[in-house]
Amino acid sequence: MSTAAGSRPLKVGAVIITMGNRPQELRALLDSVAKQDGDPVEVVVVGNGAPVPDVPEGVRTVELPENLGIPGGRNVGIEAFGPGGTDVDVLLFLDDDGLLANTDTAQLCREAFEADPKLGIISFRIADPDTGETQRRHVPRLRAADPMRSSRVTTFLGGANAVRTQVMAEVGGLPDEFFYAHEETDLAWRALNAGWMIDYRADMVLFHPTTAPSRHAVYHRMVARNRVWLARRNLPVLLVPVYLGVWMLLTLARRPSGPALKAWFGGFKEGWTTPCGPRKPMRWRTVWRLTRLGRPPVI
């Protein structure tokens, strides 16, 4: 798990996917990336079934004829940096309506990865640009009351993170078939199973407007289907019914609307009746590591 060869700074790239409907926000994000301290961050913008708006000179673009979903679009962006992204050492994945709050984020990433050869993924803190507040759901741990506390974690935020490309070379990229929801946890579990660690860093900030994930029409179905796929792909067989049973109880406790609950159960059924991709259950030592980090893979 060594860093880049020699003493050169780690080379950083950024992958941004867009539906082409946020040209002003995209341009502001690209400007914030261009202002990063240290060596320039190379950028690729992927038009996910849509044309890419005008971008500054030097920003690479890829336009896909159809929407491949979030993981599929990001995987295309990874390959724009060579097979598995190996032309760079670190990749930032940033939402196109986000904005890097500070100019030292890329440099902080370089320093973190150089200092800890076992660190594979960094999850940034997401903050509302107007209030500065971080939603509880954006802190990727169970003890989420203090978003200003950095810590080791067991998953990461999909649109505000940095991944060492060596991780993807070892365990593969994001699961294309997920389309939307839980693709980050799937990669996180595979990375942890391979011996990598994940950090949540409160000092690495992406400004992003406060939103509800349920704004997406497919939210409830995709969340349920992919939760089942996540378990089927990654958990020891004994933990699959425990994990899914806990999440069913949590879903019911939140008292979703009738249509939302119908969509959720439809997705849950779909998760069991459709192919989920390759199964590679994590080792029991990984289960114990997740438990020691405060989030056993049953919740």
Side-chain angles (χ1 to χ4, degrees), residues 9 17-19 97 151 154 160 175 248 260 294:
I17 58 173
T18 183
M19 299 294 291
D97 56 345
S151 69
T154 61
M248 181 178 290

Side-chain angles (χ1 to χ4, degrees), residues 222-237:
M222 293 286 192
V223 161
R225 183 197 68 182
N226 293 358
R227 184 78 71 183
V228 176
W229 281 357
L230 181 68
R232 289 175 59 196
R233 286 163 59 96
N234 295 288
L235 291 181
V237 66

Side-chain angles (χ1 to χ4, degrees), residues 191-269:
L192 288 163
N193 196 52
W196 297 97
M197 300 302 292
I198 305 170
D199 278 356
Y200 166 73
R201 286 284 297 264
D203 57 335
M204 301 182 189
V205 182
L206 184 86
F207 282 150
H208 188 282
T210 298
T211 56
S214 54
R215 71 190 185 279
H216 299 291
V218 296
Y219 172 76
H220 296 286
R221 180 175 70 86
M222 293 286 192
V223 161
R225 183 197 68 182
N226 293 358
R227 184 78 71 183
V228 176
W229 281 357
L230 181 68
R232 289 175 59 196
R233 286 163 59 96
N234 295 288
L235 291 181
V237 66
L238 292 176
L239 293 185
V240 172
V242 181
Y243 177 79
L244 295 176
V246 167
W247 276 104
M248 181 178 290
L249 292 174
L250 287 172
T251 299
L252 293 173
R254 291 167 180 165
R255 303 179 68 180
S257 67
L261 194 59
K262 182 179 179 180
W264 193 92
F265 275 108
F268 192 84
K269 179 181 178 181

